[in-house]
């Protein structure tokens, strides 16, 4: 019957998307409809519904790519049917993945990967979370091997870290590892080297340092943390590997802070994860996990799958996954090169610093991060929350009325009394947009302070 209607709709010159039978009722929400509907009608109805999602370009909460070249869209379309796990069927996509791993190994100064004799060790993932799980597992496996070799118990592993993103909490819970989160000291924004000794012991599988703390966007002092672990080894014999969660910073530091030593240049660094879909500028759905060398990745975590006539080494939590994101990542590497990445990120950093200056001048705020020295972002808090009369949550709500998503949230548990706001500047967020945001912030502050109806005070006309 619906098929019949579909034909009629196409044949009827007066037919309209919004007079089609499926448009005239709420969409089915609990069970699949019995009959098909015209695709162009369903497409339009879903486009309408998706408008409620908000505008990704105004989402200053996300680190992830929200602006994409037309060529990337075309490549994504071309790769829609390529399953990256079928390396035998799509050997060129597999080859492109290996090239990306080599490029990142070189960017992050891995000692291997410059020739075929010692290839780079790494893989693509769905994002930093999966990469973190894989790198965490490698740490756990290596620690267990060391413990067994020494005839020591291997049943109480722990992982030491600062204010990590939730993916590390998931890793710890899913894979039965105690997460030892070191409290953030007053005035600090992440793990400090001198805090480590209290937390690291013979059951520590590794320490995670973050290049681009999710809360404040600053870098943890990776080289100092590595040096402290070196000293600890010299004094106690404990050899604790360091993993770098460079979800965002892995694609910023090599371009904006090339002299910062945070990567495989530090012998203590065993592995690094990063999100291609954040400052790597690939579309959503790609991350990277890299290890220093073969020794850092236990072979029994790698599966050799005999599939469709080929031997396929895989290291992943899932199996099938689209290949487009990896191809798009390679496109970005080729299209921008180092200079292009530097320019894009520098423009973002300049804009973030501009926002930081604007925010500092608004009156009620204290800047926590001004956009200099780490991620292109700014974060701030209310200088005197008790006497301001409104909260950062109120301000977020006001900004949301104009479509801006500027999140407010408390710092990690030990600093939860401090609520902060943070704005990330990414590829596609331009200077004028940030000017408009700053204008809207000033209006919203005036409104919250004076408590008059929003429309009367900001002069919005309909
Ligand atoms: C420091 C850090 N690690 C890991 C993640 C998780 O990354 P993904 O969203 O790519 O899984 C994030 C996400 O914001 C992050 O900021």
């Amino acid at each position: 019957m619906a098929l019949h209607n579909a034909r009629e709709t196409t044949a009827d010159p007066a037919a309209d998307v919004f007079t089609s039978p499926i448009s005239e009722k709420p969409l089915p929400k609990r069970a699949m409809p019995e009959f098909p509907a015209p695709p162009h009608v369903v497409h339009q109805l879903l486009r309408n519904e998706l408008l409620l999602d908000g505008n990704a370009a105004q989402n200053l909460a996300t680190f992830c790519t929200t602006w994409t070249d037309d060529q990337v869209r075309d490549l994504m379309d071309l790769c829609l049917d390529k399953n990256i796990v079928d390396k035998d069927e799509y050997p060129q996509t597999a080859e492109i993945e290996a090239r990306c791993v080599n490029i990142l190994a070189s960017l992050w100064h891995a000692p291997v990967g410059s020739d075929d004799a010692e290839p780079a060790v790494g893989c693509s993932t769905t994002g930093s979370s999966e990469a973190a799980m894989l790198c965490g597992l490698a740490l756990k496996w290596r620690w267990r091997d060391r413990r067994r070799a020494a005839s020591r118990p291997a049943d109480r592993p722990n992982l030491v870290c600062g204010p990590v993103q939730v993916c590390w909490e998931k890793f710890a819970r899913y894979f039965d590892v105690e997460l030892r989160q070191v409290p953030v000291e007053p005035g600090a924004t992440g793990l400090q080297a001198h805090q480590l000794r209290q937390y690291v012991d013979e059951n520590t599988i590794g320490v995670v340092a973050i290049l681009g703390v999710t809360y404040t966007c600053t870098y943890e002092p990776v080289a100092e943390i590595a040096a402290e672990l070196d000293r600890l080894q010299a004094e106690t014999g404990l050899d604790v590997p360091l993993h770098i969660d460079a979800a965002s910073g892995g694609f910023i530091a090599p371009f904006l802070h090339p002299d910062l030593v945070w990567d495989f240049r530090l012998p203590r660094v065993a592995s690094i994860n990063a999100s291609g879909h954040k400052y790597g500028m690939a579309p959503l759905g790609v991350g990277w996990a890299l290890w220093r060398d073969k020794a850092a990745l236990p072979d029994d975590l790698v599966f050799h799958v005999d599939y469709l006539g080929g031997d396929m080494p895989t290291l992943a939590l899932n199996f099938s996954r689209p290949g487009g994101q990896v191809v798009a990542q390679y496109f970005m590497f080729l299209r921008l090169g180092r200079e292009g990445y530097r320019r894009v990120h520098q423009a973002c950093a300049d804009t973030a610093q501009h926002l930081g200056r604007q925010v500092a001048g608004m009156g009620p705020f204290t800047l926590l991060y001004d956009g200099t020295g780490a991620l292109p972002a700014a974060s701030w808090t209310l200088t005197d929350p008790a006497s301001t009369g409104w909260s950062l949550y109120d301000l977020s709500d006001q900004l949301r009325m104009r479509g801006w998503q500027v999140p407010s949230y408390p710092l990690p548990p030990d600093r939860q009394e401090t609520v902060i706001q943070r704005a990330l500047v990414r590829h596609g967020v331009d200077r004028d947009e940030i000017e408009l945001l700053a204008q809207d912030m000033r209006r919203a502050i005036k409104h919250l302070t004076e408590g008059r109806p929003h429309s009367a005070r900001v002069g919005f006309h309909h």
Side-chain angles (χ1 to χ4, degrees), residues 223-362:
E224 288 173 29
I225 290 171
E228 177 68 0
L229 291 173
D230 290 347
R231 277 190 294 274
L232 193 72
Q233 182 176 7
E235 291 165 27
T236 67
L238 282 180
D239 182 6
V240 180
L242 183 57
H243 171 83
I244 311 300
D245 179 352
S248 296
F251 284 102
I252 294 288
F255 307 110
L256 296 190
H257 316 111
D259 297 332
L260 183 79
V261 179
W262 63 275
D263 54 16
F264 291 119
R265 279 169 288 183
L266 297 167
R268 178 77 42 194
V269 173
S271 48
I272 298 174
N273 71 270
S275 302
H277 57 213
K278 293 192 171 109
Y279 289 98
M281 292 187 258
L284 271 172
V286 63
W288 299 97
L290 262 80
W291 287 266
R292 158 174 293 280
D293 49 27
K294 274 186 84 165
L297 175 64
D299 200 40
D300 53 354
L301 284 175
V302 181
F303 279 75
H304 292 269
V305 184
D306 189 15
Y307 195 68
L308 298 172
D311 170 61
M312 186 180 66
T314 68
L315 176 62
L317 295 183
N318 62 316
F319 194 70
S320 299
R321 182 158 56 87
Q325 286 83 345
V326 165
V327 174
Q329 180 78 83
Y330 189 48
F331 169 85
M332 293 309 292
F333 289 163
L334 299 183
R335 178 252 176 289
L336 287 174
R338 284 177 180 250
E339 177 58 13
Y341 268 90
R342 198 194 61 72
R343 281 201 212 169
V344 169
H345 292 334
Q346 188 60 57
C348 292
D350 292 345
T351 299
Q353 287 158 24
H354 177 73
L355 175 63
R357 285 191 295 273
Q358 300 273 319
V359 168
M362 286 178 197

Side-chain angles (χ1 to χ4, degrees), residues 63 127-129 165 167 210 212 214 245 247 275 277-278:
F63 296 84
S128 271
S129 299
Q165 207 260 357
C167 68
I210 318 164
T214 320
D245 179 352
S275 302
H277 57 213
K278 293 192 171 109

